[in-house]
Amino acid sequence: MLVSHTLKPLVEYNPHIKDFIETDMPEYKGIRGKFRFIQRIRAGRFDMYLEPGINAALMLALMTLAGVGERIIMTSPIAELVTRIAKPLATRYHIYTSYGLSLREYVALLEGVGYKSTNIAKEVFFGPQALVTARDALQSVGINEKDFIVGISITGRLWWKQWGVEKFAQLADELHLRGMKVVIIGSRSPRDQETLADFRAHVKHAVIIIDYIKLGALPALISLFKIFVAMDTGPFYIADALNVPAVNIIGPANVAVEQFVMHERIELAKGDNPAELPAHVWPTDRSVRPEFQEYYDRTSVASVITAVERLRKRVYG
């Protein structure tokens, strides 16, 4: 698997992965580094390269130069320039369906090599020490594993997926008043620390913030939550893969058209007036960026609290 050094801890215990190539290592930087990367790929004698992203023209070019015979990529109308560059280098491609469920699109990428499946189940693996670390983190702040713990992820790397610190603070306060143990997760990155500091300034009640757990132990921590609340970003999908009941704050999306992960352990929280276009299309149109945030603003704290209570009643009785 090609993976960044930062994200490797999330997948290193996956028993289906034989080996890793960390693409952002110093030896692969610059022009000379790219030649070393090509040599590494050639040494691996890989038969196939699968690229589920839609912005990987450079990696595709490197795989072509390395002599990888089968090169299968995802293309999309929302990345026209990249698609025009990448398609001539690919041996096969799958066109991303804008309104489709992403997981189904990724599985469909394999149909070009004769693999067809409707299975879109996710799995997350972590080592035994990760669970010890997660339990110790909760115990150190006086939280019992048997408590009704609601985990909340308030940070996000994507600027267009932000619900707002003030709303998360109101949510945490209300859940605290309802007798739930609220745990806010984050990281030690400067951006996350700035967001968490802003959150501390707005929250009124004592809320636990765990921002020192390393990425490899994060799934283990999430697995201990009774309910998890997040925007439509990575932590939400980790929770779903772990079968943790979760609220997905989706912001601007037309749920009548766009497909989301939905089952009895999931609740969607959205604004009253859904957007015309699905969320992943909106950021490509600069003219609607202010409106994009407006739809997130229309997702009220009350709607998220209602979603949490529905999950609590449905899953835990």
Side-chain angles (χ1 to χ4, degrees):
M1 171 177 276
L2 302 180
V3 65
S4 71
H5 177 74
T6 304
L7 295 179
K8 182 182 174 183
L10 277 179
V11 293
E12 64 181 338
Y13 285 97
N14 189 321
H16 307 298
I17 301 174
K18 183 179 179 181
D19 198 5
F20 298 92
I21 298 178
E22 297 177 42
T23 57
D24 56 351
M25 297 303 286
E27 59 263 34
Y28 298 141
K29 301 293 184 181
I31 299 298
R32 291 184 179 180
K34 295 300 182 288
F35 280 107
R36 282 192 287 269
F37 180 78
I38 290 172
Q39 291 173 349
R40 172 66 180 87
I41 297 299
R42 284 178 175 171
R45 297 182 179 181
F46 300 108
D47 299 310
M48 183 185 304
Y49 168 63
L50 289 171
E51 176 52 67
I54 61 175
N55 293 302
L58 174 59
M59 186 60 71
L60 181 60
L62 295 177
M63 291 294 169
T64 303
L65 292 172
V68 178
E70 194 79 56
R71 301 178 300 278
I72 305 174
I73 67 169
M74 188 85 74
T75 65
S76 172
I78 70 172
E80 294 181 8
L81 178 59
V82 175
T83 295
R84 285 199 299 269
I85 296 172
K87 281 176 67 174
L89 300 176
T91 55
R92 302 173 189 268
Y93 64 89
H94 172 73
I95 300 176
Y96 189 97
T97 303
S98 292
Y99 295 101
L101 186 64
S102 298
L103 295 172
R104 291 199 182 98
E105 297 298 313
Y106 298 149
V107 172
L109 191 65
L110 301 173
E111 292 182 4
V113 292
Y115 178 84
K116 292 187 178 182
S117 175
T118 58
N119 181 13
I120 58 171
K122 301 180 293 296
E123 292 180 290
V124 176
F125 302 91
F126 49 83
Q129 187 57 42
L131 195 56
V132 173
T133 300
R135 285 172 170 154
D136 287 347
L138 291 179
Q139 291 174 5
S140 69
V141 291
I143 294 182
N144 190 300
E145 201 175 319
K146 294 181 180 180
D147 292 335
F148 198 94
I149 312 170
V150 177
I152 303 178
S153 173
I154 70 171
T155 60
R157 296 184 182 277
L158 303 177
W159 64 263
W160 64 87
K161 292 188 177 182
Q162 302 294 330
W163 192 44
V165 169
E166 295 90 344
K167 286 188 175 181
F168 275 119
Q170 292 172 32
L171 174 65
D173 283 332
E174 180 60 29
L175 296 180
H176 172 82
L177 292 174
R178 294 177 182 229
M180 305 179 200
K181 299 289 187 179
V182 179
V183 174
I184 307 298
I185 65 170
S187 75
R188 290 293 173 89
S189 72
R191 183 176 178 179
D192 276 15
Q193 286 298 302
E194 183 179 344
T195 301
L196 291 171
D198 195 10
F199 173 83
R200 288 186 179 97
H202 285 88
V203 74
K204 297 177 181 178
H205 296 91
V207 173
I208 302 302
I209 296 177
I210 297 180
D211 59 358
Y212 52 85
I213 288 284
K214 292 183 178 180
L215 190 58
L218 180 60
L221 179 62
I222 292 176
S223 75
L224 300 177
F225 297 152
K226 296 294 190 294
I227 292 177
F228 187 64
V229 180
M231 294 163 289
D232 191 42
T233 54
F236 164 78
Y237 290 95
I238 290 175
D240 185 40
L242 294 167
N243 207 31
V244 174
V247 176
N248 185 4
I249 305 175
I250 61 174
N254 189 339
V255 296
V257 178
E258 189 179 6
Q259 299 179 38
F260 288 88
V261 174
M262 280 298 298
H263 49 76
E264 64 176 7
R265 300 175 81 85
I266 295 294
E267 283 284 338
L268 298 182
K270 59 183 180 64
D272 295 331
N273 296 310
E276 294 283 329
L277 296 175
H280 63 265
V281 173
W282 277 65
T284 66
D285 187 346
R286 294 179 184 272
S287 66
V288 297
R289 286 183 177 182
E291 295 179 33
F292 191 95
Q293 187 58 54
E294 285 178 19
Y295 282 104
Y296 255 117
D297 292 341
R298 291 175 185 172
T299 304
S300 66
V301 174
S303 69
V304 178
I305 292 171
T306 298
V308 170
E309 290 291 8
R310 279 200 297 256
L311 272 181
R312 179 158 69 163
K313 182 178 180 180
R314 187 164 68 239
V315 177
Y316 300 102

